[in-house]
């Protein structure tokens, strides 16, 4: 059964393997995320970070290994079922309902959360408008509720990406490079904002982030991946000092 | 699915659309009624075609699923009702059984076709409909094959063209009202989300396949009702009802009228019927010409005739 004991990790992955044909994208990965943590997943391009998220959210089926959500093995569950179990995600590349307005985008996961997709009559318009407005306010999109997602500025699309994920009320939020494509100076404030939001809502989060200054200053714990494997895991200070991490990152923008 | 993916903000005329569609339908039926018995005999199949097109557009427009096999659902409804009526069941029971059978056939079709590449989806719906066509054609003992299935009639009080037309108006109006409510319901919102981005819809917590199958079942029930109405009007079902042209004509009027509005397929169906009735006396190439027009509309005015009629100011 599910428990909220601090000693049962919210998310525990062990022996995770994913092969694409002959390519081993994820090679025997283990890691655990403690309840309430703001856990960073880092690694160079192609390390397998997004693939781990795809496995955690049911977008891909693992070749081998287990994924435990509060102790329950969920490997192979389809995405919509994992969403019901509290797993939410944002995408590295904006993944929205482009024709729909900000309001309609945020409404979709709220409808799903209440299982109202099976209501054949009654109106969608006006449904959950209060909650939608509050979420839009939280991420700073209150002025754009009636704007189609595709007409938003890029940065606002990133915010909508976050709002749509939050609207499902996840307990575990997987953030795939929320700062992707943003100016360096905007990254730290955005990730701090997300971390504070995650804490205020009692969520657990895993964030993929390339900017190591941001990671070192905000993450509680860091998992470093390299070529499909876990290279190191620990507190920011340990990771900063880890010789294997330093070696793997040499010349790839890692500066401690 | 390039037929439906052209993104245009259609909100502005969404409210006006259904009103215009109703007005046009009433004008068509009223005008034909003035022409007497013969006019009414044209009005009935026109209304049935309107419902059939609107049922297809739940899949094509709202659901983004371009089915080329909708005739199978129409024919299933008509043939099952016709068979039961022929074997002594009353019209209401036969009609309900026809509608249920069409919904079931739609569910089976969806279970096989949904969740595939657009091209595979189109080919599979087409293939399944051809299979239904062949079964009807070859299974003479039951379906009458190419002689058709005859030997039944509606009850006494519905045998006049006026009375049958009145029933058809009520049934089609009721079904269209239900479809309109459905597209505006939370289910409709979920179906549009699945259409626009099935991947994200799943991560928003929606069971994509279940929603698509449900849309098929509802659309099938509506297409089945259209088939039932035609069966009792003709007092017979004929194999062409399951044919390729039945599916493609409906798809054609959805695109002609505009798949992204509720009114579109209704307007498209009315225009199609008007042209099909009037044009053959002028040119025998009318269907090919209509086909060319539809392709042009689809390419250059994805919002269809509904868009042209309802939003002239927004044309660029
Ligand atoms: N669906 C797929 N089919 C085949 N190979 C894949 C697939 N998805 C990922 N890969 C491969 O798996 C490896 C890991 O990719 P992944 O996207 O997980 O990296 P990443 O760590 O997220 O990189 P980035 O920082 O660039 O986003 C890459 O070599 C990629 O080509
Ligand atoms: Mg990635």
């Amino acid at each position: 059964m599910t428990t909220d004991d601090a000693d049962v990790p919210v998310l525990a992955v062990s022996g995770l393997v994913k092969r694409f044909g002959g390519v081993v994208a994820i090679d025997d990965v283990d890691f655990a995320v403690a309840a309430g943590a703001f856990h960073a997943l880092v690694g160079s391009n192609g390390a397998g970070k997004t693939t781990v998220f795809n496995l955690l959210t049911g977008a891909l089926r693992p070749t081998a290994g287990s994924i435990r959500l509060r102790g329950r093995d969920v490997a192979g569950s389809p995405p919509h079922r994992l969403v019901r179990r509290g797993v939410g995600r944002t995408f590295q590349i904006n993944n929205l309902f482009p024709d729909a307005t900000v309001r309609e985008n945020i409404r979709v996961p709220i409808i799903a959360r209440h299982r109202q997709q099976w209501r054949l009559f009654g109106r969608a318009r006006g449904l959950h408008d209060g909650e939608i407005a509050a979420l839009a306010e939280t991420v700073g999109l209150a002025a754009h509720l009636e704007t189609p997602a595709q007409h938003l500025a890029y940065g606002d699309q990133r915010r909508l990406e976050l709002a749509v994920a939050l609207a499902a009320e996840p307990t575990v939020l997987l953030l795939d490079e929320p700062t992707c494509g943003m100016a360096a100076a905007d990254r730290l404030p955005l990730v701090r904002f997300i971390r504070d939001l995650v804490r205020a809502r009692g969520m657990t989060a895993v964030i993929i982030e390339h900017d190591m200054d941001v990671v070192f200053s905000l993450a509680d714990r860091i998992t470093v991946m390299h070529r499909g494997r876990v290279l190191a895991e620990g507190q920011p200070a340990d990771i900063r000092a880890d010789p294997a991490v330093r070696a793997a990152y040499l010349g790839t923008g890692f500066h401690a | 699915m390039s037929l439906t993916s052209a993104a245009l903000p259609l909100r502005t005329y969404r409210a006006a659309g259904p009103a215009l569609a109703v007005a046009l339908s009433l004008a068509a039926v009223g005008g034909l009624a003035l022409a007497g018995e013969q006019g009414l005999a044209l009005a009935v199949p026109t209304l049935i075609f309107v419902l059939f097109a609107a049922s297809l557009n739940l899949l094509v427009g709202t659901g983004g699923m371009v089915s080329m096999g909708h005739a199978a659902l129409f024919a299933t409804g008509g043939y099952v009702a016709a068979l039961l009526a022929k074997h002594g069941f009353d019209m209401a029971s036969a009609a309900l059984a026809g509608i249920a059978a069409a919904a079931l056939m739609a569910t089976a079709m969806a279970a096989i076709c949904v969740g595939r590449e657009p091209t595979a989806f189109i080919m599979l719906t087409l293939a399944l409909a051809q299979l239904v066509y062949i079964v009807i054609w070859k299974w003479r003992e039951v379906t009458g094959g190419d002689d058709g299935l005859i030997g039944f009639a509606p009850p006494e009080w519905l045998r006049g063209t006026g009375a049958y037309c009145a029933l058809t108006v009520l049934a089609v109006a009721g079904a269209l009202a239900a479809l309109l409510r459905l597209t505006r319901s939370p289910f409709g919102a979920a179906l549009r989300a699945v259409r626009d981005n099935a991947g994200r819809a799943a991560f928003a917590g929606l069971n994509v396949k279940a929603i698509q199958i449900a849309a098929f079942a509802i659309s099938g029930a509506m297409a089945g009702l259209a088939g039932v109405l035609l069966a009792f009007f003709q007092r017979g079902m004929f194999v062409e009802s399951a044919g390729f042209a039945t599916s493609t004509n409906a798809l054609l009027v959805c695109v002609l009228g505009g798949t992204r509005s509720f009114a579109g397929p209704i307007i498209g169906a009315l225009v199609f019927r008007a042209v099909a009735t009037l044009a053959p006396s002028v040119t025998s190439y009318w269907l090919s010409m209509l086909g060319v027009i539809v392709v042009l509309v689809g390419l250059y005015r994805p919002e269809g005739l509904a868009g042209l009629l309802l939003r002239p100011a927004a044309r660029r």
Side-chain angles (χ1 to χ4, degrees):
Chain A
M1 269 314 296
T2 59
T3 98
D4 278 305
D5 290 350
D7 49 331
V8 177
V10 168
L11 205 54
V13 164
S14 78
L16 197 64
V17 176
K18 180 65 193 179
R19 278 193 209 100
F20 296 107
V23 181
V24 186
I26 302 299
D27 188 3
D28 196 17
V29 160
D30 299 321
F31 69 91
V33 180
F38 195 71
H39 191 122
L41 184 59
V42 304
S44 45
N45 292 119
K49 307 176 296 293
T50 297
T51 304
V52 166
F53 273 16
N54 285 335
L55 293 163
L56 293 178
T57 55
L60 293 175
R61 191 177 271 276
T63 307
S66 78
I67 298 167
R68 291 183 177 279
L69 185 65
R70 293 185 197 83
R72 182 204 286 259
D73 195 344
V74 295
S77 288
H80 68 271
R81 204 160 289 154
L82 287 167
V83 173
R84 297 231 167 97
R85 294 245 158 87
V87 179
R89 79 181 285 188
T90 66
F91 292 81
Q92 185 170 351
I93 297 160
N94 288 330
N95 191 2
L96 299 160
F97 304 108
D99 295 354
T101 61
V102 166
R103 182 190 297 286
E104 289 163 342
N105 267 272
I106 300 175
R107 187 179 285 133
V108 175
I110 305 181
I111 283 178
R113 207 177 77 223
H114 290 93
R115 304 205 181 196
Q116 287 166 329
Q117 67 269 34
W118 298 116
R119 274 178 49 187
L120 306 184
F121 297 103
R123 285 183 148 253
R125 197 199 288 172
L127 211 55
H128 309 299
D129 272 353
E131 188 179 343
I132 294 167
L135 261 170
E137 177 80 49
T138 303
V139 300
L141 287 175
H144 299 291
L145 275 168
E146 313 309 331
T147 309
Q150 62 188 347
H151 295 160
L152 289 175
Y154 177 79
D156 287 338
Q157 289 184 358
R158 296 306 285 162
R159 291 168 181 277
L160 181 55
E161 186 68 47
L162 181 64
V164 173
L166 290 174
E169 291 201 335
T171 52
V172 186
L173 182 57
L174 309 178
L175 299 143
D176 197 346
E177 297 191 37
T179 66
C180 178
M182 301 192 105
D186 297 337
R187 288 183 201 143
L188 187 66
L190 178 66
V191 176
R192 177 173 289 131
F193 166 77
I194 293 173
R195 188 198 59 180
D196 294 347
L197 198 67
V198 162
R199 291 214 170 128
R201 291 175 176 236
M203 291 186 281
T204 302
V206 183
I207 181 171
I208 298 175
E209 173 59 56
H210 276 292
D211 189 326
M212 292 309 291
D213 294 334
V214 171
V215 169
F216 284 136
S217 60
L218 295 175
D220 302 322
R221 205 168 170 85
I222 302 171
T223 299
V224 184
M225 286 186 68
H226 189 64
R227 294 191 181 156
R229 290 171 163 275
V230 172
L231 192 64
E233 185 181 328
Q235 314 280 339
D238 305 332
I239 297 299
R240 202 192 279 265
D242 191 304
V245 175
R246 299 181 70 101
Y249 264 94
L250 262 175
T252 61
F254 179 80
H255 39 92
Chain B
M1 305 208 163
S2 58
L3 283 182
T4 58
S5 63
L8 288 164
L10 296 166
R11 300 162 215 295
T12 37
Y13 68 79
R14 245 178 213 156
L20 180 76
V22 167
L24 281 177
S25 306
L26 285 178
V29 174
L32 289 167
L34 289 179
E37 186 92 350
Q38 245 185 339
L40 289 176
L42 283 175
V44 172
T46 299
L47 287 169
I48 290 171
F49 187 50
V50 163
L51 173 58
F52 183 55
S55 75
L56 175 60
N57 201 51
L58 178 66
L59 302 181
V60 176
T62 317
M65 297 178 279
V66 181
S67 169
M68 296 263 273
H70 215 48
L73 312 178
F74 182 77
T76 299
Y79 268 97
V80 167
L83 269 172
L84 290 180
K86 190 181 167 129
H87 289 96
F89 287 84
D90 62 292
M91 181 173 166
S93 317
L96 283 177
I99 293 166
L104 238 125
M105 176 68 79
T107 308
M109 189 183 248
I112 295 170
C113 302
V114 140
R116 297 179 189 270
E117 299 282 297
T119 320
F121 178 87
I122 290 174
M123 297 318 281
L124 274 171
T125 51
L126 180 65
L128 288 176
Q130 287 308 104
L131 196 66
V132 169
Y133 178 88
I134 288 168
V135 168
I136 293 172
W137 186 40
K138 294 281 183 192
W139 202 11
R140 274 187 164 273
E141 313 85 84
V142 175
T143 63
D146 49 10
D147 292 336
L149 181 63
I150 49 171
F152 65 98
E156 202 74 56
W157 59 276
L158 270 176
R159 289 189 192 165
T161 313
Y164 201 86
C165 189
L167 171 82
T168 308
V169 168
L170 286 178
V172 171
L176 291 180
L179 274 173
L180 178 60
R181 285 200 69 174
L182 189 76
T183 57
R184 293 176 171 179
S185 70
F187 174 81
L191 184 58
R192 277 190 295 279
V194 166
R195 170 196 71 194
D196 288 346
N197 187 346
R200 185 60 186 244
F203 293 108
L206 296 174
N207 184 342
V208 168
K209 195 163 183 183
I211 285 170
Q212 289 176 325
I213 291 175
F216 251 93
I218 295 163
S219 168
M222 297 294 179
L225 170 61
V228 168
L229 287 169
L230 187 71
F232 281 97
F233 176 67
Q234 297 180 152
R235 301 180 192 184
M237 270 311 272
F238 302 93
V239 69
E240 293 73 37
S241 65
F244 182 59
T246 305
S247 294
T248 49
N249 285 350
L251 195 53
L252 187 133
V253 303
C254 288
V255 176
L256 175 68
T259 59
R260 286 298 177 96
S261 68
F262 187 77
I266 299 174
I267 295 168
L270 291 173
V271 168
F272 180 93
R273 286 287 302 181
V275 174
T277 311
L278 302 173
S281 57
V282 183
T283 167
S284 51
Y285 297 113
W286 70 273
L287 191 55
S288 327
M289 288 171 67
L290 199 63
V292 171
I293 293 172
V294 168
V295 169
L296 292 176
V297 168
L299 285 176
Y300 296 106
R301 288 277 178 266
E303 74 275 40
L305 291 178
L308 295 183
L309 288 171
L310 289 158
R311 218 176 40 145
R315 278 155 67 188
R316 271 154 293 154

